[in-house]
């Protein structure tokens, strides 16, 4: 019994990473074990596994100098148990993670190569064609975290991500139920949101025009016409994909009548989207609401002259009454 107790007492000393008695003892690993979560959405549910298909991590030291980067593009990201393990010397680090940046279909790029650069120079830009974009953007996600490596073994951390891309569906419907053609209108969103800083803030650049990546007609239901017959209600729709909606910007949604050249709709987009927040999520900050929600739908009702009836609008299936039509 005495011999067994003696051996057990010696065991921690023999396996200690700080013991230099054994020359062939390998240094114990130390670093971080990272979990990635995307629950910054309206459901407050982790959708990282289903929505993020590639991952890039940049590591900076306490002085903001680039240390190294890691990239993962395989289907391990779809596993809830996935962790990124990184060996690092003791110290303080700042981590910046992007989902969707390293994918083959990425819609964003680093402005400069990351090697031997600093945290403050980290910037991401939207890929566009002459400051126009008419395609569905590949989703971009962002996350950042300060970590400390001290002692032996790995420390567990969670990197929380947010989505930087939006899809906005516009529907045009006549109040009398008559057919509306998407070919009668040009729909666009104008914003200055193509560049993102290392902290994911929008950097001023110049105005980009977003155009639909898809458009057409759809049947919204049926109605009884003046002859007492049931008829389909055919609406026009268009979907636009944009970079991050930033509360400090003033993007505008413009719908033009192709025959007359007149604006059917010309509104401050963010102010209208936030009309929904004021009714349902008053406790939530405006920017948080814009960041958590990424699928938007807006229904505009037209009169017989294809002019917008400015009394109400449907946003994400909720009817918003408009008292101030000049908002």
């Amino acid at each position: 019994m005495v011999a067994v107790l003696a051996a057990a007492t010696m065991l921690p000393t023999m396996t200690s990473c700080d013991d230099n008695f054994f020359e062939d003892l390998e240094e114990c690993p130390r670093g971080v074990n990272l979990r990635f979560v995307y629950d910054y959405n309206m459901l407050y549910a982790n959708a990282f596994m289903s929505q993020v298909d590639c991952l890039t991590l940049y590591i900076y030291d306490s002085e903001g100098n680039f240390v190294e980067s890691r990239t993962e593009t395989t289907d391990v990201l779809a596993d809830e148990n996935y962790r990124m393990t990184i060996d690092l010397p003791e110290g303080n680090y700042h981590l910046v993670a992007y989902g969707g940046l390293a994918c083959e279909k990425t819609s964003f790029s680093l402005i400069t190569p990351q090697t031997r650069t600093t945290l403050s120079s980290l910037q991401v830009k939207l890929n566009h064609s002459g400051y126009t974009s008419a395609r569905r953007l590949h989703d971009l996600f962002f996350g950042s975290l300060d970590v400390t490596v001290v002692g032996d073994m790995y420390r567990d951390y969670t990197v929380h991500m947010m989505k930087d891309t939006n899809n906005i569906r516009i529907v045009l419907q006549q109040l009398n139920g008559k057919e509306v053609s998407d070919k009668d209108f040009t729909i666009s969103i104008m914003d200055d949101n193509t560049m993102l800083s290392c902290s994911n803030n929008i950097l001023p650049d110049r105005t980009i025009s977003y155009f639909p990546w898809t458009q057409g007609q759809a049947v919204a239901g049926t109605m009884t016409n003046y002859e007492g017959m049931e008829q389909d209600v055919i609406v026009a729709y268009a979907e636009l994909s944009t970079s991050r909606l930033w509360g400090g910007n003033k993007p505008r949604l413009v719908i033009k009548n192709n025959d007359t050249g007149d604006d059917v709709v010309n509104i401050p987009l963010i102010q209208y989207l936030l009309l929904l927040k004021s009714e349902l999520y008053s406790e939530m900050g405006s920017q948080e609401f814009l960041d958590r929600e990424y699928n938007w739908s807006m229904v505009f009702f037209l009169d017989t002259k294809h002019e917008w009836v400015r009394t109400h609008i449907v946003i994400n299936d909720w009817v918003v009454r408009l008292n101030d039509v000049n908002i």
Side-chain angles (χ1 to χ4, degrees):
M1 180 63 69
V2 174
V4 173
L5 290 174
T9 303
M10 293 176 60
L11 197 56
T13 304
M14 293 172 62
T15 59
S16 172
C17 297
D18 298 324
D19 192 339
N20 297 322
F21 182 80
F22 297 98
E23 295 182 358
D24 61 344
L25 184 65
E26 293 184 3
E27 181 181 355
C28 273
R30 60 169 58 95
V32 292
N33 197 36
L34 301 177
R35 179 190 182 210
F36 296 87
V37 170
Y38 168 53
D39 58 4
Y40 201 69
N41 50 56
M42 297 306 291
L43 296 178
Y44 294 79
N46 184 18
F48 181 88
M49 300 79 68
S50 61
Q51 295 200 28
V52 179
D53 52 356
C54 64
L55 182 66
T56 306
L57 182 76
Y58 297 111
I59 305 172
Y60 300 87
D61 64 19
S62 58
E63 302 298 321
N65 298 309
F66 176 74
V67 176
E68 63 176 295
S69 65
R70 295 291 180 89
T71 301
E72 182 57 70
T73 60
T74 71
D75 57 5
V76 299
L77 297 175
D79 185 350
E80 163 66 26
N81 297 315
Y82 169 73
R83 302 292 185 271
M84 181 181 284
T85 302
I86 304 171
D87 293 325
L88 290 169
E90 289 190 341
N92 297 314
Y93 300 90
H94 184 74
L95 311 180
V96 178
Y98 291 101
L101 188 63
C103 301
E104 183 178 351
K105 297 181 180 180
T106 184
S107 298
F108 294 81
S109 304
L110 287 179
I111 291 181
T112 57
Q114 196 53 34
T115 306
R116 299 191 181 91
T117 59
T118 60
L119 174 62
S120 60
S121 67
L122 176 63
Q123 296 177 0
V124 169
K125 66 176 181 179
L126 171 68
N127 301 329
H128 53 75
S129 177
Y131 286 91
T132 64
S133 178
R135 62 194 183 100
R136 182 179 181 180
L137 301 181
H138 191 82
D139 287 332
L140 181 72
F141 298 82
F142 171 87
S144 65
L145 183 68
D146 292 319
V147 301
T148 298
V149 177
V150 61
D152 300 331
M153 307 308 290
Y154 298 100
R155 300 190 69 180
D156 294 331
Y157 286 97
T158 299
V159 182
H160 290 274
M161 312 287 286
M162 62 174 289
K163 182 178 282 192
D164 279 338
T165 43
N166 296 267
N167 192 72
I168 302 173
R169 182 178 176 89
I170 306 297
V171 175
L172 302 177
Q173 177 178 338
Q174 276 217 42
L175 281 176
N176 61 9
K178 288 189 176 181
E179 178 179 350
V180 181
S181 173
D182 60 291
K183 296 180 176 59
D184 292 338
F185 304 91
T186 296
I187 301 175
S188 64
I189 293 173
M190 293 174 288
D191 200 356
D192 182 358
N193 62 346
T194 60
M195 294 178 59
L196 298 162
S197 73
C198 62
S199 57
N200 207 40
N201 292 330
I202 298 296
L203 297 172
D205 185 27
R206 54 178 286 191
T207 300
I208 184 173
S209 296
Y210 296 100
F211 293 99
W213 61 269
T214 186
Q215 64 184 71
Q217 293 178 294
V219 176
T222 61
M223 67 174 295
T224 303
N225 61 23
Y226 295 113
E227 299 175 350
M229 304 289 291
E230 289 289 319
Q231 68 177 40
D232 290 335
V233 177
I234 300 177
V235 302
Y237 72 86
E239 294 189 49
L240 302 88
S241 188
T242 78
S243 180
R244 188 184 184 194
L245 295 175
W246 182 246
N249 280 2
K250 298 180 179 180
R252 298 197 72 85
L253 169 65
V254 179
I255 303 175
K256 285 187 176 293
N257 185 314
N258 291 336
D259 288 335
T260 65
D262 296 334
D263 289 345
V264 178
V265 173
N266 189 331
I267 59 173
L269 177 62
I270 285 179
Q271 286 181 254
Y272 270 74
L273 296 181
L274 290 178
L275 291 176
L276 178 62
K277 169 198 166 292
S278 65
E279 295 185 12
L280 300 177
Y281 309 102
S282 58
E283 78 288 351
M284 186 183 296
S286 295
Q287 189 59 53
E288 180 180 348
F289 178 76
L290 293 171
D291 289 332
R292 283 186 179 272
E293 184 63 81
Y294 55 86
N295 276 326
W296 307 90
S297 64
M298 306 178 74
V299 182
F300 297 89
F301 294 93
L302 309 179
D303 62 19
T304 56
K305 297 180 180 180
H306 278 183
E307 294 180 355
W308 175 32
V309 180
R310 301 169 184 263
T311 55
H312 69 280
I313 183 176
V314 178
I315 303 176
N316 285 16
D317 297 328
W318 286 85
V319 177
V320 180
R321 303 292 178 182
L322 299 178
N323 296 320
D324 181 3
V325 297
N326 295 315
I327 186 172

